[in-house]
Amino acid sequence: IPLTTDILRISENFVVMLSKDTFFVENVTALENQLNFKDAIHQRAAVYTEDLIALNYADSFEIFLEKVAEDTAFARKVVKVCRHSAVLEKNITTEDLIEFVQNNEVYKDVLKLTEDETQFDLNSINRCRKFLQLLDDDYLVSPLTDSSYIARVKDRT
């Protein structure tokens, strides 16, 4: 079929679909790798991490920054969380986050505090991941059963 527009072919396995002004990408990893989106994700995550550092939530973000620089999945999660975090939107203080963590078993056993208990100790990859989960506000309580859950996918009402 003769085409009236130019086409950019990235690879045989690269599939993109446009539906109602929304692009759907079948293989995001290929897109990230071949168009250097990966670099943009890491750069954006580093900027968001600097914003987190300024909020003074933790005594050290060294491991967090290393993970942002080397792990694209982690960097992507940082970007997602920082762009959509209700915790960050509402300017929840470090003190309020610490109080929440100390009162919730899901976080209490994993998120450690500094010796003076004024900041989070993020000196392990697992703690960094759990801290991101905390900022993502994944912790939900069902009003029906009064049960607590970690919900990775949710829509705010």
Side-chain angles (χ1 to χ4, degrees):
I1 300 172
L3 300 173
T4 58
T5 60
D6 292 335
I7 293 178
L8 173 64
R9 181 176 179 162
I10 297 170
S11 77
E12 305 85 34
N13 298 323
F14 191 78
V15 179
V16 178
M17 180 178 78
L18 175 63
S19 175
K20 297 181 183 176
D21 298 327
T22 301
F23 284 96
F24 295 91
V25 180
E26 182 180 40
N27 187 348
V28 175
T29 305
L31 181 70
E32 289 172 353
N33 290 336
Q34 295 183 24
L35 296 179
N36 292 327
F37 282 10
K38 189 188 295 189
D39 295 339
I41 290 167
H42 287 277
Q43 289 170 359
R44 181 41 108 191
V47 169
Y48 281 129
T49 302
E50 293 300 325
D51 293 344
L52 290 176
I53 291 169
L55 292 171
N56 211 26
Y57 286 135
D59 66 331
S60 172
F61 274 86
E62 189 174 321
I63 291 176
F64 199 95
L65 282 165
E66 286 175 16
K67 197 75 173 151
V68 162
E70 65 191 32
D71 184 342
T72 303
F74 186 81
R76 194 180 307 113
K77 178 76 172 176
V78 169
V79 171
K80 177 216 171 252
V81 168
C82 290
R83 287 185 64 209
H84 303 290
S85 171
V87 172
L88 297 175
E89 275 179 28
K90 294 184 186 272
N91 297 314
I92 305 294
T93 65
T94 306
E95 295 81 16
D96 288 341
L97 278 176
I98 288 171
E99 183 180 338
F100 177 79
V101 164
Q102 289 177 329
N103 292 317
N104 289 279
E105 296 300 320
V106 171
Y107 295 111
K108 186 178 181 178
D109 294 336
V110 179
L111 283 173
K112 303 294 181 199
L113 301 176
T114 56
E115 232 176 83
D116 62 3
E117 297 188 346
T118 60
Q119 294 176 304
F120 292 98
D121 177 346
L122 299 181
N123 288 320
S124 81
I125 293 169
N126 193 33
R127 289 184 209 156
C128 291
R129 284 192 180 112
K130 203 60 143 178
F131 179 71
L132 264 183
Q133 188 182 67
L134 174 67
L135 292 181
D136 200 20
D137 199 24
D138 285 345
Y139 190 77
L140 301 176
V141 178
S142 166
L144 180 62
T145 62
D146 199 33
S147 297
S148 301
Y149 301 94
I150 296 295
R152 297 196 185 348
V153 178
K154 64 186 179 307
D155 294 324
R156 283 195 256 171
T157 56

